[in-house]
Amino acid sequence: MKIGELRGSLDWARAGDEMYALVAELYPICRSITGDGLRATLRRLGRDLDLECHEVPSGTAAFDWTVPKEWNIRDAWVKDARGERVIDFQRSNLHVVHYSTPVRCTVGLDELKRHLHSLPERPQWIPYRTSYYEEGWGFCVEHERLAGFGEGSYEVCIDARLEDGSLSYGECAIGGASDEEFLLSCHTCHPSLCNDNLSGVVLTAHLARLLAGLELRYSYRCLFIPGTIGAITWLSRNRQRAARIRHGLVVACVGDGGPFHYKRSRRGDADIDRAVEHVLRQSGAAHAVRDFSPYGYDERQYCSPGFDLPVGSLTRTPHGCFPEYHTSADDLGFVSARWLGESLCCYLHVIDVVESNRRYRNTNPHCEPQLGRRGLYRAIGGSASPGRTEMALLWVLNLSDGATDLLAIADRAQLDFDTVRHAADLLCSHGLLAETA
Amino acid sequence: MKIGELRGSLDWARAGDEMYALVAELYPICRSITGDGLRATLRRLGRDLDLECHEVPSGTAAFDWTVPKEWNIRDAWVKDARGERVIDFQRSNLHVVHYSTPVRCTVGLDELKRHLHSLPERPQWIPYRTSYYEEGWGFCVEHERLAGFGEGSYEVCIDARLEDGSLSYGECAIGGASDEEFLLSCHTCHPSLCNDNLSGVVLTAHLARLLAGLELRYSYRCLFIPGTIGAITWLSRNRQRAARIRHGLVVACVGDGGPFHYKRSRRGDADIDRAVEHVLRQSGAAHAVRDFSPYGYDERQYCSPGFDLPVGSLTRTPHGCFPEYHTSADDLGFVSARWLGESLCCYLHVIDVVESNRRYRNTNPHCEPQLGRRGLYRAIGGSASPGRTEMALLWVLNLSDGATDLLAIADRAQLDFDTVRHAADLLCSHGLLAETA
Amino acid sequence: MKIGELRGSLDWARAGDEMYALVAELYPICRSITGDGLRATLRRLGRDLDLECHEVPSGTAAFDWTVPKEWNIRDAWVKDARGERVIDFQRSNLHVVHYSTPVRCTVGLDELKRHLHSLPERPQWIPYRTSYYEEGWGFCVEHERLAGFGEGSYEVCIDARLEDGSLSYGECAIGGASDEEFLLSCHTCHPSLCNDNLSGVVLTAHLARLLAGLELRYSYRCLFIPGTIGAITWLSRNRQRAARIRHGLVVACVGDGGPFHYKRSRRGDADIDRAVEHVLRQSGAAHAVRDFSPYGYDERQYCSPGFDLPVGSLTRTPHGCFPEYHTSADDLGFVSARWLGESLCCYLHVIDVVESNRRYRNTNPHCEPQLGRRGLYRAIGGSASPGRTEMALLWVLNLSDGATDLLAIADRAQLDFDTVRHAADLLCSHGLLAETA
């Protein structure tokens, strides 16, 4: 089956439900950039996917970086003088600053507050904070609860281990006709946060399952990696493979109800940029496209100047632009099966365009060929304008010089890609068009 | 005489009257893409022009096409049971579908209706329909009259011949100093329709008469050809000549009162595109410019990728964009002498720009030359800004590097071409500018 | 001291006061394109500057031009029949048409009026008029006073000499690390007119004094020259030196209260164009940028096609765009110390950007370097967006390919140049960036 047929036959509602169910299943796990939570997540994904899991030892060099120690946490709490847990990791894994060093001590209120993070402007939400590369400890708490913290001494416990271990990541490779690859990369390191980025994780996994059953032109590589250090580690171990990446997308924040948002690759006019922009424009729905910037997700690494890969990022509301971002409010109520299904649909559309985009040469370039005698043109002449199908035939014939691809033709003709591709197929079947390399 | 002088001395009102009179004379003739109506039209044009008429036999190959059989019609009608002509070719040659095969039969109302074309949204107008490349027969009728067609049998007659003959076209070549050619092409195949395209036919013929009396830089080729098959036939017989075309315009729909409308060549930035856009912009009048698209008139063939000639189309309201298009309402009341005169004026302006556009080299490129001592600059200094003439002198001097043409200078300076050309002439006469190849 | 430090420590108010005082001191002098007034002005400037004064004899050829005779004037007046001076050069040196030939005669009112210039639309102002290159004489007068000129005879005297002498100009060269030069050019030929161009003269002189004390990358050349003939003369005597000019600004009309206005060099995208546009855009204040045109000040000569130097013009309200232009209303009340100070500040900012603009190569181009362990990145992760400093670090790393300069990075990143330069300095000090040639 080709991807076009899949798109025509897929039960989107069911796909959305399945993705949402997996988000719900993975939600409670306490992931970080290393450790057992990340491993458990990869193990769960591996039940549905042919997922190769890698372990890279702490201390391994990766370009300018070093794989950090592994962090695992069993429990963490702050108890007041009466022994009551006023902050409790068991209630939310966001309560602890991730990568906190183990600690067990008794402190006064002032000292405690130096280790607390909260959001005054969102007093009911717990922020998500990390301290991967500087040792220390801390807790995150709802701001409204701080007022209840009276003077006195507090017992603090972070029952964590920060020691040599390994960094885990998962890789799912799906072979296609060509060695050239399409990269789908999602960061898999966030704890109980749904849109950022369980949504990206389950969408990538679902895409991988669907693509595995298809007849593909490109090979696909889906990476389930911890943000930043994961991408850097993968790139440092796969420099040759990275050179084969022809298209790529960083998958994140695809479960909320906002309009689609595309961040271009550093190149700005790569095929993936043109394909995503075409799909979004033709959708007729509100959407935004913005230029590359060196802040964001792992496109930062893929688009670093030494690689400069054609990798963009297709999200709904982008990181940092929804108030729930990196807070406990990015929960199961913030994402929905319907929105996940829409995002899957959009990703498959983009992949279909990239798979089908080709260059042709008009075999009959002097004047138009006589379409009428081949049944490709209406018989009765004189009415004011031809249909979309006839216009697509004329555009493809006029612009197919062996160098202009179907996507460029669709954009110049202001027609949707499917109409143009259908016209090219028709012309090919009549010998009026020949594919070029 | 040069074209600039002609433009200054022409009696525009009289030219408009003459063109309108010729439209009126040609209006009753039943033209099609072949046949005696087309021949009669060319014969009439030949009375005023040095027109070479060509006959290309049916069956001749022309790229992917074949010259069709010749179609001639003497009469056509539908009679009701009482023997009354309810549809009568003698009243309008639009009543019959052009290229209908001969027929003589009696049919019921249902069968008749399968052969009728009408315009429900314009019930008083007869549509114009053709069936050049699929054999069959049909009639066109005012929609409001269909209700009066009662049950019963109808006698149908199309007294036409569709048989081997030839395709006719006319060609008028006007020699200039260079072998390089300016193509003016009009489709001459439509029956009693005034704007589309008797307006284009008479404008092209009038231009040819005027150009024949002038001292010209380019050679001009005016083609009076049936649409599509005529252009394809001409191109297939003139491949070498086509390679000499440096500029070209497809002349159509130039008799109505709408604003000018220019459709760019496929290249989009050919000299003819720049010239027409300059003239329209400088006119100050409302106008529209749109990019090439592969639907329209014979620019479709001239701009096919194997030729890619610099040919645009300058019309007033373009084809398909006025409701009278291809209906009996495109009649003698829809066009006027005044509008034809305005269109002639616009075409001559464009041709004048193309004829006069040249590249120069400033012979004194270090600092400005002293214009004052040559009488080219006001003597008293100090007032706020120079006049248009002085600005044009400064711009031409500053930008004449041997590669930038006067049209580019006029566009960058936001001055009209005539002012810039006049400045260049003045500077040449003082030895401050030298023409480059 | 570097220019950045100077900008941080300069007493702007005092600089403005000093410039205004010098305008006031130079205001009464009757300058022209040659003569003792111009010489006196250069002498005064030479008290503060290391100014080399040049004298070029009348009759010297300069490209297409010839250095004119020298003009000096002692007195000029028109007396009515009662012997009363109705026009008197002693009251304003604008009253005489500059370069008037000596005359002493008695004329009737009609003959007198043929030699008078006035401004009907500004009846209380005296216009400034010249007749450098056509011999003749004339007076300029307030239009409202013309009505009082009765019939009768008038005695006319212009006690001037127009004879062989020389053209004077001043040149101040300030050496920098490189032989490549930054040109600052002001016309110094206007009589009692403050904004045009005593403002430009004192600003250039003040810049020269400040630059002379700095550690500079480029060498600077400040020209104090008569308009047009001065620039042409300098260029004709310095063709080799002109080829070393990498950046340049024509300094004029910098004392009024209007918004800044930049006229691009003929090239349109020279470094100086990008630098000025960046500074004006980042200022947040209203400003205007317009393309080069061949009318204006001496950029006309610097940008003539044989030189095509990267020289723009940075003014406040440009020439001809304020009603006081070239009239007696361009007086000491029309300019102010504050506005002169603001203009100085803007010029120094532009020069600072040009001096500091460099190209770098990211020495660690594969993935981001780990900024955190170098103390260049906040320790606690998770908040929504990085600060401007961190963004600047990421942008500089991402775009420093050895060819893209800091100004281009600042423009693409929409950050101000200083932030980007600071980031580049930080990265250099950590060995993460290396300057390229």
Side-chain angles (χ1 to χ4, degrees):
Chain A
M1 184 156 64
K2 297 217 167 182
I3 188 166
E5 295 163 74
L6 172 73
R7 286 176 59 213
S9 63
L10 197 66
D11 180 341
W12 300 103
R14 187 173 150 185
D17 289 341
E18 286 176 13
M19 288 188 284
Y20 187 83
L22 186 54
V23 167
E25 186 179 344
L26 296 172
Y27 181 64
I29 301 175
C30 177
R31 278 163 297 273
S32 191
I33 57 170
T34 61
D36 291 331
L38 176 56
R39 257 178 223 110
T41 301
L42 295 175
R43 213 156 39 232
R44 172 62 190 85
L45 296 175
R47 274 172 37 202
D48 303 325
L49 285 182
D50 185 11
L51 194 71
E52 192 176 350
C53 290
H54 300 264
E55 297 285 341
V56 185
S58 301
T60 304
F63 296 120
D64 191 55
W65 300 63
T66 306
V67 172
K69 289 180 182 167
E70 184 175 327
W71 185 70
N72 284 291
I73 183 165
R74 248 179 315 215
D75 200 359
W77 40 260
V78 174
K79 287 186 186 165
D80 63 15
R82 291 169 307 183
E84 198 177 330
R85 288 191 172 203
V86 292
I87 305 178
D88 186 357
F89 172 77
Q90 302 302 337
R91 281 194 305 163
S92 167
N93 55 40
L94 299 179
H95 271 314
V96 71
V97 171
H98 282 224
Y99 260 68
S100 281
T101 45
V103 67
R104 180 103 199 206
C105 59
T106 301
V107 295
L109 181 61
D110 286 353
E111 170 70 5
L112 177 66
K113 281 193 168 172
R114 277 196 284 280
H115 292 269
L116 297 186
H117 302 267
S118 67
L119 297 170
E121 69 281 14
R122 301 283 179 184
Q124 299 174 308
W125 298 353
I126 311 164
Y128 164 55
R129 292 290 177 268
T130 65
S131 184
Y132 301 138
Y133 299 105
E134 181 156 300
E135 299 210 344
W137 61 268
F139 286 87
C140 300
V141 67
E142 299 90 339
H143 192 76
E144 66 179 11
R145 295 187 44 228
L146 285 183
F149 283 37
E151 295 293 337
S153 68
Y154 289 85
E155 201 185 342
V156 170
C157 168
I158 297 183
D159 180 7
R161 280 168 297 124
L162 183 61
E163 53 199 18
D164 282 346
S166 61
L167 175 147
S168 316
Y169 68 85
E171 191 166 4
C172 172
I174 302 151
S178 160
D179 266 0
E180 298 186 333
E181 294 200 349
F182 192 127
L183 177 74
L184 292 161
S185 175
C186 61
H187 61 281
T188 316
C189 52
H190 282 29
S192 295
L193 296 168
C194 286
N195 198 35
D196 180 15
N197 189 31
L198 287 173
S199 72
V201 171
V202 302
L203 182 78
T204 306
H206 208 93
L207 276 171
R209 277 169 60 191
L210 292 174
L211 291 168
L214 298 178
E215 203 179 310
L216 295 165
R217 173 182 178 188
Y218 292 104
S219 294
Y220 287 74
R221 185 165 305 275
C222 301
L223 297 184
F224 300 88
I225 52 178
T228 305
I229 185 63
I232 293 169
T233 300
W234 187 86
L235 283 165
S236 76
R237 293 157 56 101
N238 293 276
R239 289 182 67 164
Q240 301 251 323
R241 188 162 277 160
R244 295 209 305 261
I245 293 172
R246 286 291 161 274
H247 317 283
L249 289 171
V250 166
V251 191
C253 301
V254 288
D256 68 292
F260 285 105
H261 194 104
Y262 181 63
K263 174 181 171 183
R264 293 189 180 109
S265 76
R266 182 177 183 265
R267 303 180 184 182
D269 61 351
D271 287 356
I272 187 68
D273 301 321
R274 296 192 298 129
V276 177
E277 290 179 51
H278 179 89
V279 165
L280 295 182
R281 197 164 46 237
Q282 288 289 336
S283 75
H287 66 272
V289 175
R290 61 172 176 168
D291 278 324
F292 177 78
S293 98
Y295 187 72
Y297 293 117
D298 285 329
E299 67 277 9
R300 292 164 65 162
Q301 312 310 328
Y302 302 125
C303 295
S304 60
F307 288 107
D308 195 23
L309 297 177
V311 176
S313 179
L314 175 55
T315 64
R316 299 188 72 128
T317 310
H319 71 92
C321 297
F322 49 99
E324 297 82 357
Y325 172 79
H326 278 194
T327 75
S328 54
D330 181 4
D331 60 12
L332 287 166
F334 186 62
V335 299
S336 82
R338 181 183 146 206
W339 297 327
L340 287 163
E342 282 176 6
S343 297
L344 179 71
C345 176
C346 182
Y347 265 81
L348 280 171
H349 194 169
V350 169
I351 293 171
D352 191 10
V353 168
V354 170
E355 284 272 319
S356 310
N357 189 25
R358 278 171 168 73
R359 293 171 171 76
Y360 297 92
R361 190 175 44 77
N362 177 340
T363 57
N364 192 78
H366 291 96
C367 300
E368 294 168 8
Q370 194 179 355
L371 299 176
R373 68 173 159 89
R374 295 173 174 94
L376 300 176
Y377 213 73
R378 65 208 155 137
I380 294 293
S383 61
S385 63
R388 290 167 61 81
T389 307
E390 285 167 346
M391 280 309 295
L393 292 168
L394 295 174
W395 274 111
V396 171
L397 285 168
N398 191 273
L399 296 181
S400 284
D401 52 9
T404 307
D405 64 20
L406 293 184
L407 195 44
I409 295 173
D411 282 340
R412 179 158 174 190
Q414 298 181 281
L415 291 168
D416 67 289
F417 184 84
D418 285 348
T419 302
V420 168
R421 167 178 42 181
H422 177 66
D425 289 346
L426 258 180
L427 292 167
C428 277
S429 71
H430 283 85
L432 293 170
L433 221 55
E435 191 177 343
T436 55
Chain B
M1 185 157 65
K2 296 217 168 180
I3 188 166
E5 296 164 73
L6 171 74
R7 285 176 58 214
S9 62
L10 197 66
D11 181 342
W12 299 103
R14 188 173 149 185
D17 288 341
E18 287 177 14
M19 287 188 284
Y20 186 83
L22 186 53
V23 167
E25 187 179 342
L26 295 171
Y27 181 63
I29 300 174
C30 177
R31 278 163 297 274
S32 191
I33 57 169
T34 61
D36 291 330
L38 176 55
R39 256 178 224 112
T41 301
L42 295 174
R43 212 156 40 230
R44 172 62 192 87
L45 297 175
R47 273 171 38 201
D48 303 326
L49 286 180
D50 186 11
L51 194 72
E52 192 178 347
C53 290
H54 300 263
E55 297 286 340
V56 184
S58 301
T60 304
F63 295 119
D64 190 56
W65 300 62
T66 306
V67 172
K69 289 180 182 166
E70 182 174 328
W71 186 70
N72 283 291
I73 184 165
R74 247 179 316 214
D75 200 1
W77 41 260
V78 174
K79 287 186 186 165
D80 65 12
R82 287 169 310 183
E84 200 178 331
R85 288 190 171 205
V86 293
I87 305 177
D88 185 357
F89 173 77
Q90 301 303 337
R91 283 194 304 165
S92 167
N93 54 41
L94 300 180
H95 272 314
V96 71
V97 171
H98 282 224
Y99 261 68
S100 280
T101 45
V103 67
R104 180 102 200 206
C105 60
T106 302
V107 295
L109 180 62
D110 285 353
E111 170 70 5
L112 177 64
K113 283 192 167 172
R114 277 196 285 279
H115 291 270
L116 296 186
H117 302 267
S118 68
L119 298 169
E121 71 280 13
R122 301 285 178 182
Q124 298 173 309
W125 297 354
I126 312 164
Y128 165 54
R129 292 290 178 268
T130 65
S131 184
Y132 300 139
Y133 298 104
E134 180 155 301
E135 299 209 346
W137 61 269
F139 286 87
C140 301
V141 67
E142 300 90 338
H143 193 75
E144 66 179 10
R145 295 186 46 229
L146 284 184
F149 284 36
E151 295 293 338
S153 67
Y154 288 85
E155 200 184 341
V156 171
C157 168
I158 296 182
D159 180 8
R161 279 169 297 123
L162 183 61
E163 53 200 17
D164 282 345
S166 62
L167 175 147
S168 316
Y169 69 85
E171 191 166 4
C172 173
I174 301 152
S178 159
D179 267 1
E180 298 185 335
E181 295 200 349
F182 192 127
L183 177 74
L184 292 160
S185 174
C186 62
H187 61 281
T188 317
C189 52
H190 282 28
S192 296
L193 297 167
C194 286
N195 198 36
D196 179 16
N197 187 28
L198 287 172
S199 72
V201 170
V202 304
L203 182 79
T204 305
H206 208 93
L207 275 171
R209 278 170 58 191
L210 293 173
L211 292 168
L214 298 177
E215 205 178 309
L216 295 165
R217 173 182 180 189
Y218 291 105
S219 294
Y220 287 74
R221 186 165 304 276
C222 301
L223 297 183
F224 300 88
I225 52 177
T228 305
I229 185 64
I232 293 169
T233 300
W234 187 87
L235 284 165
S236 75
R237 291 157 58 100
N238 293 277
R239 290 181 67 162
Q240 302 253 322
R241 188 161 277 160
R244 295 209 305 261
I245 294 171
R246 284 292 162 273
H247 316 283
L249 289 172
V250 166
V251 190
C253 301
V254 289
D256 69 292
F260 286 105
H261 194 105
Y262 181 62
K263 174 181 169 181
R264 293 189 180 109
S265 76
R266 183 176 181 266
R267 301 180 186 182
D269 61 352
D271 288 356
I272 187 68
D273 301 320
R274 295 191 300 129
V276 177
E277 289 179 52
H278 179 88
V279 165
L280 295 182
R281 197 164 47 235
Q282 288 289 336
S283 74
H287 66 272
V289 175
R290 60 172 177 169
D291 278 323
F292 177 77
S293 97
Y295 188 72
Y297 293 118
D298 286 330
E299 68 277 9
R300 293 164 64 162
Q301 312 310 328
Y302 302 126
C303 295
S304 60
F307 288 107
D308 196 22
L309 296 177
V311 175
S313 180
L314 176 54
T315 65
R316 298 187 74 126
T317 310
H319 71 92
C321 296
F322 48 99
E324 297 81 359
Y325 172 78
H326 279 194
T327 74
S328 53
D330 181 4
D331 60 13
L332 287 165
F334 186 62
V335 299
S336 84
R338 182 182 147 206
W339 298 328
L340 287 163
E342 282 177 6
S343 297
L344 179 70
C345 177
C346 183
Y347 266 81
L348 280 171
H349 194 168
V350 169
I351 292 171
D352 191 9
V353 168
V354 171
E355 284 272 318
S356 309
N357 189 25
R358 279 172 167 71
R359 292 171 171 77
Y360 297 92
R361 189 175 45 78
N362 176 342
T363 58
N364 193 78
H366 291 97
C367 300
E368 295 170 8
Q370 195 179 356
L371 299 176
R373 67 173 160 90
R374 295 174 174 93
L376 300 177
Y377 212 74
R378 66 211 154 133
I380 296 293
S383 60
S385 63
R388 291 166 61 81
T389 308
E390 286 167 345
M391 280 309 296
L393 291 168
L394 295 174
W395 273 111
V396 171
L397 286 167
N398 190 274
L399 296 182
S400 284
D401 53 9
T404 306
D405 64 21
L406 294 183
L407 195 45
I409 295 173
D411 283 340
R412 179 158 173 189
Q414 297 181 281
L415 291 168
D416 67 288
F417 184 84
D418 285 348
T419 302
V420 168
R421 167 178 44 181
H422 176 68
D425 289 346
L426 259 179
L427 293 167
C428 277
S429 70
H430 284 85
L432 293 170
L433 220 55
E435 192 177 344
T436 55
Chain C
M1 185 157 63
K2 297 217 167 182
I3 188 165
E5 295 164 74
L6 172 73
R7 287 176 58 213
S9 62
L10 197 66
D11 180 340
W12 299 103
R14 187 173 151 184
D17 288 341
E18 287 176 13
M19 289 189 282
Y20 186 84
L22 186 54
V23 167
E25 186 179 344
L26 296 171
Y27 181 63
I29 301 175
C30 177
R31 279 163 296 273
S32 191
I33 57 170
T34 61
D36 291 330
L38 177 54
R39 256 178 224 111
T41 301
L42 295 175
R43 212 155 40 232
R44 172 63 191 85
L45 297 175
R47 275 172 36 203
D48 303 326
L49 285 182
D50 186 10
L51 194 70
E52 193 177 347
C53 290
H54 300 263
E55 296 286 341
V56 184
S58 302
T60 304
F63 296 119
D64 190 55
W65 300 63
T66 306
V67 172
K69 289 179 181 166
E70 182 174 327
W71 186 71
N72 284 291
I73 183 164
R74 250 179 314 212
D75 200 0
W77 41 260
V78 175
K79 287 185 185 166
D80 63 14
R82 289 169 309 183
E84 199 178 330
R85 287 191 172 203
V86 293
I87 306 178
D88 186 356
F89 172 77
Q90 302 301 339
R91 283 193 304 163
S92 167
N93 56 39
L94 300 179
H95 271 314
V96 71
V97 171
H98 281 223
Y99 261 69
S100 280
T101 46
V103 68
R104 181 102 200 207
C105 61
T106 302
V107 296
L109 180 61
D110 286 355
E111 170 69 5
L112 177 64
K113 283 193 167 172
R114 277 195 284 280
H115 291 271
L116 296 185
H117 303 267
S118 67
L119 297 169
E121 69 283 13
R122 301 283 179 182
Q124 299 174 308
W125 298 354
I126 311 164
Y128 164 53
R129 292 290 177 268
T130 66
S131 183
Y132 302 137
Y133 299 104
E134 181 155 300
E135 299 210 344
W137 61 269
F139 286 87
C140 300
V141 67
E142 300 91 338
H143 193 76
E144 67 179 10
R145 294 185 47 227
L146 284 184
F149 283 37
E151 295 292 336
S153 68
Y154 288 85
E155 201 186 340
V156 170
C157 168
I158 296 182
D159 181 7
R161 280 169 296 124
L162 183 61
E163 53 198 19
D164 281 346
S166 61
L167 175 147
S168 316
Y169 68 84
E171 191 165 4
C172 173
I174 301 151
S178 160
D179 268 359
E180 298 185 335
E181 295 200 347
F182 192 127
L183 177 74
L184 292 161
S185 175
C186 62
H187 62 282
T188 317
C189 52
H190 282 28
S192 296
L193 297 167
C194 286
N195 198 36
D196 179 15
N197 189 26
L198 286 173
S199 72
V201 171
V202 304
L203 182 77
T204 306
H206 208 93
L207 276 171
R209 278 170 58 191
L210 293 174
L211 291 169
L214 298 178
E215 203 180 311
L216 295 164
R217 173 183 181 188
Y218 292 104
S219 294
Y220 287 75
R221 185 165 305 275
C222 302
L223 297 183
F224 299 88
I225 52 177
T228 305
I229 185 62
I232 293 169
T233 300
W234 187 86
L235 284 165
S236 75
R237 293 157 56 101
N238 293 277
R239 290 181 66 164
Q240 302 253 321
R241 188 161 278 159
R244 296 209 304 260
I245 294 172
R246 284 293 161 272
H247 317 283
L249 289 171
V250 167
V251 191
C253 302
V254 289
D256 68 292
F260 286 105
H261 194 104
Y262 181 64
K263 174 182 170 181
R264 293 189 180 109
S265 77
R266 182 177 183 267
R267 301 180 186 183
D269 61 351
D271 287 357
I272 187 67
D273 301 320
R274 294 192 298 129
V276 177
E277 290 178 52
H278 179 89
V279 166
L280 295 182
R281 196 165 46 236
Q282 287 289 336
S283 74
H287 66 272
V289 175
R290 60 172 176 168
D291 278 323
F292 177 77
S293 98
Y295 188 72
Y297 293 117
D298 285 330
E299 67 277 10
R300 291 163 67 161
Q301 313 309 328
Y302 302 125
C303 296
S304 60
F307 289 107
D308 195 23
L309 296 177
V311 176
S313 179
L314 175 55
T315 65
R316 297 188 73 127
T317 310
H319 71 93
C321 296
F322 48 98
E324 297 82 358
Y325 172 79
H326 279 194
T327 75
S328 54
D330 181 4
D331 60 13
L332 287 165
F334 186 62
V335 300
S336 83
R338 181 183 147 206
W339 298 326
L340 287 162
E342 281 176 6
S343 297
L344 179 71
C345 177
C346 183
Y347 266 81
L348 280 170
H349 194 169
V350 168
I351 292 170
D352 191 10
V353 168
V354 170
E355 284 271 320
S356 310
N357 190 25
R358 278 172 168 74
R359 291 171 172 76
Y360 297 92
R361 189 176 45 77
N362 177 341
T363 57
N364 193 79
H366 290 97
C367 299
E368 296 169 6
Q370 195 179 355
L371 299 176
R373 67 173 160 90
R374 296 173 174 93
L376 300 176
Y377 213 75
R378 66 209 153 133
I380 295 292
S383 61
S385 63
R388 290 167 62 81
T389 307
E390 285 167 344
M391 280 309 295
L393 292 168
L394 295 175
W395 273 111
V396 171
L397 286 168
N398 191 272
L399 296 181
S400 283
D401 53 9
T404 306
D405 63 21
L406 294 184
L407 195 44
I409 294 173
D411 282 339
R412 180 159 173 188
Q414 297 180 281
L415 291 169
D416 68 288
F417 183 84
D418 285 348
T419 302
V420 169
R421 167 179 42 181
H422 177 67
D425 289 346
L426 259 181
L427 292 168
C428 277
S429 70
H430 284 84
L432 293 171
L433 220 56
E435 191 177 343
T436 55

